[in-house]
Amino acid sequence: GTERPNFSVLSTASNQSGVYKCAGCGTDLFVSKDKFQSGTGWPSFARGLKGAEVDPNVSLLAKKLAGAELRCQTCGGHLGDVFEDGFLFVGTEAAVTGERYCIDGAALVFYPDGGGSAVRGDTQLVAKAPAWMESPKITARERES
C-alpha cells in the first residue's frame, strides 16, 4: 500500500534548500533542487541520488508504461516509483531528465541546509479545505412572536 495523496507535509513544494534522506537508514536520496510540484499528491523529483535504486528486474517497456519500483540502496526500503513521463512537466527539471520520481512521503526525512529541524515525511499535511468545500454560512432570522 501507499499513503493517501496529499497526506505528507513533503508533498507540497518548498523553496527550502536541503537533502531528503531515507526514513529507515538516513541514506541521501534526493536534493531539494530536483523537487517539483507534479500535482500527483506525492513528493516528486526529477532525479535521484545514488542511494535511490531503481529495480533492475523491470523491463524497459514496463518502466515506460507502469513505472519501476524504487528502493533505498542501503536498507532496501520501498521509496515509491520512477516513471518516464517527465516530459509532461514543462519548465521543470523532470522535462530535462524525462523522469518523475514519485515518492511516498513517509519514506523520507527532509534535512534543511545549514541545520534546523528535520521534517519527517510521515507528518500529515494540515491543509485548509478549498472555499467551495466549506459549509455555507447560515444566519438565523428573528422569530416572529
Side-chain angles (χ1 to χ4, degrees):
T2 189
E3 67 200 18
R4 296 184 316 273
N6 299 306
F7 176 83
S8 172
V9 295
L10 300 179
S11 65
T12 58
S14 170
N15 295 343
Q16 200 168 12
S17 179
V19 177
Y20 293 83
K21 297 183 180 220
C22 176
C25 70
T27 297
D28 291 355
L29 300 171
F30 304 96
V31 292
S32 57
K33 72 176 183 67
D34 291 327
K35 187 171 190 272
F36 69 99
Q37 193 64 35
S38 67
T40 61
W42 291 278
S44 295
F45 300 86
R47 63 179 60 84
L49 300 174
K50 286 175 66 175
E53 182 176 65
V54 178
D55 181 356
N57 299 320
V58 175
S59 72
L60 184 60
L61 181 61
K63 184 178 177 189
K64 285 191 176 294
L65 297 176
E69 183 182 18
L70 282 172
R71 292 192 171 272
C72 174
Q73 187 178 45
T74 305
C75 71
H78 174 76
L79 303 174
D81 299 284
V82 61
F83 299 92
E84 292 192 354
D85 62 358
F87 64 91
L88 296 172
F89 303 95
V90 177
T92 71
E93 275 298 300
V96 175
T97 66
E99 297 180 326
R100 173 177 52 95
Y101 289 72
C102 186
I103 308 301
D104 289 345
L108 301 173
V109 179
F110 176 70
Y111 291 86
D113 287 343
S117 298
V119 180
R120 296 192 55 83
D122 60 357
T123 305
Q124 185 173 2
L125 175 65
V126 179
K128 186 176 189 269
W132 61 269
M133 288 184 70
E134 291 181 12
S135 298
K137 304 289 186 258
I138 300 173
T139 54
R141 294 188 294 182
E142 292 289 321
R143 285 191 145 173
E144 297 179 19
S145 342

